[in-house]
C-alpha cells in the first residue's frame, strides 16, 4: 500500500504502467515469500530447542515468545535472541520501506501549490497510515518492550490487537473512503434510528 500511494502521488501519469497487474502480483509474491521465509526461519530456530515442564502455552495462539518461555536448556537465551533479531529485522525492514515511501509522498505533497490540493492528496494516505500506525504500535510494544514482570493477559491483549484487530480493521478503514459505502451506512442508520414519517 505504501508503494501504491507513492506511485499514485509521485508518478500519477505513470500509475497504470507502474502498478500493472504483473507488478501487483510480484509485490504480493515477494510479500508472501518474505513472510514465509521469516516464518520458516523462526520455526527452524525454535525446533532446535528442548522443551520440559509445562506444555500449556499462555496465549490464544502459538505465539513464538510464549513458546520460547516453555523451553529449557543452555541455548534458550541465544535462540530467543535469534528469534528477536529475525522478528525485529522484518518489522523494521518493512517499516523502513513504508517510511521511505512516505518521505517521498510528503515531499511531493509539499510541492502542491494549493492547500486544498495538499489536503485532498494527503487524505488518500490517511487510511493506510492509520492501519500502519495501529499495527506497528502494538507489534512494537510486543517485540521491543524490555524484559520484566508483565502479565500474560497484557501480552495476549497486545498480540490480539495486531494479529486479529488490525486485519479486521483494515477493510473497514479502507472501505470508509468509498462514498457509496458511506451513503449506504448513513441511510441504514437513518432508517434504523429516525422515526418513520407518516
Amino acid at each position: 500500500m505504501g508503494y501504491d500511494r507513492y506511485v499514485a502521488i509521485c508518478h500519477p501519469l505513470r500509475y497504470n504502467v507502474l502498478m500493472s497487474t504483473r507488478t501487483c502480483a510480484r509485490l504480493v509474491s515477494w510479500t508472501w515469500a518474505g513472510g514465509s521465509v521469516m516464518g520458516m526461519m523462526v520455526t527452524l530456530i525454535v525446533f532446535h530447542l528442548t522443551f520440559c515442564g509445562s506444555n500449556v502455552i499462555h496465549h490464544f495462539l502459538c505465539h513464538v515468545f510464549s513458546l520460547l518461555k516453555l523451553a529449557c536448556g543452555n541455548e534458550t537465551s541465544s535462540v530467543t535472541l535469534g528469534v528477536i533479531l529475525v522478528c525485529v529485522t522484518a518489522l523494521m525492514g518493512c517499516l523502513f520501506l513504508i517510511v521511505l515511501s512516505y518521505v517521498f509522498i510528503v515531499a511531493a505533497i509539499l510541492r502542491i501549490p494549493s492547500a486544498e490540493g495538499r489536503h485532498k492528496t494527503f487524505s488518500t494516505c490517511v487510511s493506510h497510515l492509520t492501519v500502519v500506525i495501529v499495527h506497528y504500535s502494538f507489534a512494537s510494544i510486543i517485540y521491543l518492550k524490555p524484559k520484566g514482570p508483565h502479565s500474560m493477559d497484557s501480552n495476549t491483549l497486545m498480540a490480539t490487537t495486531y494479529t486479529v484487530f488490525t486485519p479486521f480493521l483494515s477493510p473497514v478503514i479502507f472501505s470508509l473512503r468509498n462514498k457509496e459505502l458511506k451513503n449506504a451506512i448513513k441511510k441504514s442508520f437513518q432508517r434504523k434510528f429516525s422515526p418513520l414519517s407518516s
Side-chain angles (χ1 to χ4, degrees):
M1 281 302 299
Y3 181 72
D4 176 71
R5 294 295 83 216
Y6 161 75
V7 172
I9 292 170
C10 298
H11 304 286
L13 298 177
R14 297 178 52 210
Y15 181 83
N16 288 334
V17 173
L18 295 174
M19 286 302 292
S20 66
T21 306
R22 188 175 183 173
T23 303
C24 290
R26 284 182 183 159
L27 287 171
V28 169
S29 299
W30 279 106
T31 302
W32 282 4
S36 298
V37 167
M38 190 189 96
M40 289 298 285
M41 286 173 57
V42 170
T43 303
L44 290 173
I45 291 170
V46 171
F47 275 166
H48 286 89
L49 291 174
T50 305
F51 295 95
C52 52
S54 174
N55 64 352
V56 177
I57 297 174
H58 297 284
H59 218 285
F60 72 99
L61 57 90
C62 191
H63 194 255
V64 69
F65 291 118
S66 298
L67 191 60
L68 287 171
K69 288 179 183 171
L70 300 178
C72 57
N74 296 335
E75 71 274 352
T76 305
S77 60
S78 61
V79 170
T80 302
L81 181 63
V83 169
I84 289 172
L85 285 175
V86 168
C87 293
V88 168
T89 301
L91 197 69
M92 291 301 141
C94 292
L95 183 62
F96 172 75
L97 293 174
I98 293 169
V99 167
L100 184 64
S101 68
Y102 276 100
V103 165
F104 288 115
I105 288 170
V106 168
I109 289 173
L110 292 176
R111 288 193 301 266
I112 297 173
S114 71
E116 183 182 337
R118 284 191 299 270
H119 175 74
K120 188 174 181 181
T121 305
F122 187 72
S123 71
T124 64
C125 301
V126 170
S127 52
H128 179 244
L129 279 174
T130 303
V131 171
V132 167
I133 289 168
V134 168
H135 178 77
Y136 272 93
S137 299
F138 289 112
S140 297
I141 290 169
I142 290 288
Y143 291 111
L144 301 177
K145 72 179 178 188
K147 260 192 160 181
H150 301 288
S151 76
M152 288 291 188
D153 293 337
S154 69
N155 288 345
T156 303
L157 179 65
M158 290 296 172
T160 303
T161 54
Y162 87 91
T163 57
V164 176
F165 184 64
T166 306
F168 170 76
L169 189 67
S170 295
V172 173
I173 288 174
F174 287 112
S175 296
L176 288 178
R177 293 203 35 81
N178 185 327
K179 286 184 182 177
E180 290 89 20
L181 181 69
K182 281 183 190 176
N183 291 336
I185 291 171
K186 187 189 267 185
K187 286 178 184 176
S188 176
F189 273 108
Q190 286 174 345
R191 268 188 263 137
K192 190 116 176 149
F193 297 113
S194 65
L196 295 171
S197 54
S198 47

